[in-house]
Amino acid sequence: MTTAAVLAILLPFAAAAVGLLGSRFPKGLRGGAADAAANRRAAWIAIVPTAISTLLTIWLAYSIRAGQAAGGGDWLSRFTGSAGTARVATASVTVDTGSAPISVGLLVDGLAATIAVLVTVVALAVQVYSVGYLRDDRRYPSYSAFISLFTSAMLLVVYAADLLVLYVGWEVMGLCSYLLIGHWWEDRANSRAAVKAFLVTRIGDVGFLFGVFVLGTAAGGFRIADVLAKLPELPPGTILAAALLLLAGVAGKSAQVPLHTWLPDAMAGPTPISALIHAATMVAAGIFVVARLYPVFLASGPALDVLAIMAALGMLGAALAALAQDDLKRVLAYSTISQLAYMAGALAAGSRDAAVFHLITHGAFKALLFLCAGAVIHAAGSNLMSVMGGLRRGLSVTFAAMTIGFAALAGIPPASGFFSKDEVLAAVERSLSAGHLAAPVALLLYGCALATVTVTGAYATRAWLRTFFGERALSGLPGTAAPEPVPSAAVPAPASEPVPSAAVHEAPPVMRWPIIILAVPALLLGLPGALHIHWGTAVLSIALALLGAGAVHAVWRADPRRDPARLLGPLRVPCERAFSVDALYRAVFVRPTLLLAYVVARADGRVVDGAVRGSGRTVTGLAGLVRRAQNGNAQLYVTGLLAGVLLLAVGAVMLG
């Protein structure tokens, strides 16, 4: 079992190394046929190891489940893998630092095995899908290699038995996200989005690293099992400080309030990257870490209140922002922030299993939605829903799959999202009467969760209607160029009109099959919860979702050519701007920082460098004076000598 976990991590890592160094080996030729051959080699190098890792993680999950079959726990804990006894791989290396030892080991338990299957299945689907999506991109070899490196890093986070090992994978994931968001770096907006994502997540990672240090030093070691075992002996203040610091990293990586602003801009990267990193895996890593270290947060008290407030603001605010966006990918980006906040809310309410359940189903249906969005963009030539419409006739497979995805997102049965959202809402409702949250915080969380159900139904229906129904507007609309490069192009495409309806067609099979395969778990993954529905909560949830969907449909039906977001009224502009949080951050943090940097640069140039240059000029001036006296003219020397003798003689006579 340990060997299988190690191989599952190392195979994508080896694929990344070989893909970066060997896709153009041995001649290193570029252009034309050489690029096509390199892309083919890179595809095989990326897909085969990822497929083997997928089989290994599935086997590990099956082995763990078989060992837990006779164990205790309810159906939900068995489904999420939290039931049963963890199996810990022995540390292969232990470094004695003089204080807290550092060990390298893997923790293979039900939770890790379940999340690892999600990671590898989505990664494999994205690798296959990308073969068609970036078919003619000359940088596809590096792109596929970075996906492999990300897959390895995410698996390291999932299987890590030590906090420092987990942190290594955590940081490598952030690096891969930066590199892949900026894949089309020729467009300055893309490179700026990559830098923004890197910097914002690094802000959270600083707190995360200090939280790791606080836990490790207080517990006398960084092994997760040792830290959790020592919790009863740790001072409450230490636990609270560690939990709050860890939440900073969770907010950054999982795009939660207040460090959520990077995720919508990260949609500048290729759409398959959004499906893997910014929907199903990396952004869920923060939720996974809270689940892995859940006893720390349960023992921290107020940290759960902080998490609940973050979740309440994030789920409703992001859902409202999604309702007003015109860019289909940004709708899904804000939706991701909102759904991750649901998971955070379940954790704050005291139900780790409900959060992990929703993490699993969300990974399936949101990856499906992003891949479907890529197929829609591939066909329409634009991200903007204002130039879409009527696409169901030419994209029948994508239409059916995306309908399943939107149903799961809105929580409409029998799609998987209905069952996991039911568990989340039931957990939040239980926190009103019995839980770890303060009463006002629990009430805020519950109210925002119910309101978000309505708004989610509204924005999912709006995106569905505007993409696939009505008629396409092919001219007269400003800003119809694709915000991201047209798929299979190596550089950003120039501004152009949308693709005519007659030219709309399904994506090639290599892109279509991953969509079809992901549609199956997006539809069926929640069925184990069919016998355990909380009927009161479920009926309320369906009614609220249908209320939002019905309101949008009524507004759209009245005038299909106009955006149903007009039902927001005066709130539409603030929602479209995501409540101007970015503008606030620019005013409060970015501009003062740039001003300070300008002042420091000017002080360095005028004062520090000025002093150095001034001293140099002074020495040069003095040297010039000395040089004038030592010019090699003998007559001048004799004249000076005689003048000096004369002055001495006159002085002697006058002074007696």
Side-chain angles (χ1 to χ4, degrees):
M1 185 172 292
T2 303
T3 304
V6 172
L7 286 175
I9 296 170
L10 290 182
L11 282 171
F13 180 81
V18 175
L20 285 173
L21 301 176
S23 59
R24 297 184 184 273
F25 182 83
K27 297 181 180 180
L29 300 177
R30 292 184 177 273
D35 284 344
N39 286 2
R40 285 194 299 271
R41 285 193 294 269
W44 284 107
I45 291 169
I47 291 172
V48 173
T50 305
I52 298 173
S53 287
T54 303
L55 294 175
L56 289 171
T57 57
I58 292 173
W59 178 79
L60 280 171
Y62 174 78
S63 301
I64 292 286
R65 295 299 173 86
Q68 293 176 351
D74 58 13
W75 74 271
L76 186 56
S77 62
R78 291 194 299 273
F79 180 84
T80 59
S82 61
T85 305
R87 305 188 182 186
V88 183
T90 11
S92 56
V93 177
T94 300
V95 180
D96 188 1
T97 63
S99 56
I102 299 174
S103 60
V104 179
L106 300 181
L107 173 61
V108 185
D109 62 356
L111 176 62
T114 302
I115 303 302
V117 172
L118 171 67
V119 171
T120 52
V121 168
V122 175
L124 180 59
V126 167
Q127 288 281 24
V128 174
Y129 182 96
S130 298
V131 172
Y133 197 84
L134 297 174
R135 182 181 64 253
D136 300 325
D137 193 323
R138 65 182 302 174
R139 288 197 293 273
Y140 170 77
S142 62
Y143 165 91
S144 61
F146 292 144
I147 292 180
S148 296
L149 180 60
F150 169 83
T151 305
S152 178
M154 183 69 193
L155 289 174
L156 185 62
V157 169
V158 170
Y159 284 130
D162 187 272
L163 289 173
L164 292 182
V165 174
L166 185 151
Y167 185 75
V168 171
W170 184 272
E171 288 298 328
V172 174
M173 284 194 304
L175 173 64
C176 293
S177 174
Y178 163 75
L179 294 170
L180 290 166
I181 293 170
H183 177 74
W184 288 307
W185 51 263
E186 295 91 347
D187 187 339
R188 184 168 176 80
N190 294 348
S191 60
R192 291 173 73 92
V195 171
K196 179 180 180 180
F198 187 81
L199 292 178
V200 173
T201 54
R202 293 290 78 70
I203 291 171
D205 289 351
V206 172
F208 188 84
L209 179 60
F210 279 102
V212 168
F213 285 155
V214 169
L215 276 181
T217 53
F222 292 95
R223 287 180 65 86
I224 293 175
D226 296 340
V227 170
L228 298 183
K230 287 290 186 74
L231 274 181
E233 305 173 16
L234 301 184
T238 300
I239 298 175
L240 176 60
L244 292 176
L245 289 168
L246 291 173
L247 281 182
V250 170
K253 198 69 77 181
S254 292
Q256 293 298 289
V257 175
L259 301 179
H260 63 288
T261 56
W262 66 271
L263 186 60
D265 291 345
M267 298 301 104
T271 303
I273 292 308
S274 301
L276 175 66
I277 297 180
H278 306 128
T281 53
M282 188 189 85
V283 291
I287 304 300
F288 170 80
V289 166
V290 176
R292 172 63 81 199
L293 300 174
Y294 201 45
V296 174
F297 293 90
L298 289 178
S300 64
L304 289 180
D305 289 326
V306 174
L307 181 60
I309 294 171
M310 290 167 50
L313 297 177
M315 66 174 67
L316 183 56
L320 289 170
L323 184 56
Q325 303 302 310
D326 188 33
D327 187 322
L328 179 59
K329 287 178 65 177
R330 290 179 75 89
V331 171
L332 298 180
Y334 282 111
S335 168
T336 299
I337 297 172
S338 181
Q339 295 301 304
L340 290 168
Y342 263 120
M343 304 171 206
L347 290 167
S351 180
R352 181 179 76 161
D353 291 334
V356 175
F357 187 22
H358 197 53
L359 187 157
I360 295 168
T361 61
H362 174 265
F365 70 71
K366 189 55 66 66
L368 171 67
L369 285 171
F370 268 111
L371 293 187
C372 288
V376 168
I377 294 167
H378 185 275
S382 176
N383 293 12
L384 305 181
M385 293 186 293
S386 55
V387 299
M388 297 179 186
L391 295 179
R392 72 187 187 281
R393 291 184 289 271
L395 302 175
S396 56
V397 174
T398 303
F399 168 67
M402 208 164 189
T403 300
I404 293 172
F406 279 132
L409 173 62
I412 304 299
S416 61
F418 164 73
F419 300 100
S420 59
K421 189 173 290 187
D422 177 59
E423 290 293 336
V424 170
L425 292 175
V428 173
E429 185 178 4
R430 285 194 299 269
S431 71
L432 292 173
S433 56
H436 305 274
L437 299 178
V441 174
L443 185 60
L444 172 67
L445 180 61
Y446 185 61
C448 288
L450 292 181
T452 304
V453 172
T454 304
V455 181
T456 302
Y459 73 71
T461 303
R462 170 180 175 263
W464 185 62
L465 291 173
R466 298 196 74 203
T467 302
F468 294 109
F469 292 86
E471 298 298 329
R472 300 196 65 196
L474 296 179
S475 61
L477 288 171
T480 56
E484 75 170 68
V486 175
S488 299
V491 295
S496 61
E497 288 294 325
V499 178
S501 296
V504 171
H505 56 83
E506 283 286 3
V510 73
M511 294 170 60
R512 194 160 62 244
W513 276 107
I515 290 174
I516 295 172
I517 291 171
L518 280 178
V520 175
L523 179 62
L524 303 178
L525 198 56
L527 289 183
L531 300 177
H532 308 277
I533 296 174
H534 305 85
W535 287 106
T537 302
V539 170
L540 177 60
S541 173
I542 294 173
L544 291 175
L546 292 178
L547 174 64
V552 165
H553 183 266
V555 173
W556 175 82
R557 190 175 179 83
D559 189 353
R561 292 172 297 178
R562 296 180 63 192
D563 189 349
R566 65 184 184 273
L567 64 83
L568 288 169
L571 283 177
R572 180 176 179 179
V573 173
C575 290
E576 188 175 6
R577 296 175 180 173
F579 307 101
S580 300
V581 176
D582 259 328
L584 175 64
Y585 286 176
R586 280 195 298 272
V588 175
F589 300 110
V590 177
R591 288 175 184 167
T593 301
L594 291 176
L595 177 61
L596 178 61
Y598 174 79
V599 171
V600 171
R602 296 286 291 179
D604 181 67
R606 294 292 182 88
V607 179
V608 179
D609 287 351
V612 174
R613 287 192 294 266
S615 62
R617 286 194 294 267
T618 302
V619 172
T620 302
L622 292 174
L625 293 176
V626 174
R627 182 179 59 80
R628 291 177 182 275
Q630 299 290 333
N631 60 3
N633 189 337
Q635 293 179 346
L636 181 62
Y637 295 165
V638 172
T639 301
L641 177 63
L642 292 176
V645 171
L646 180 61
L647 288 174
L648 291 174
V650 171
V653 171
M654 293 180 63
L655 296 175

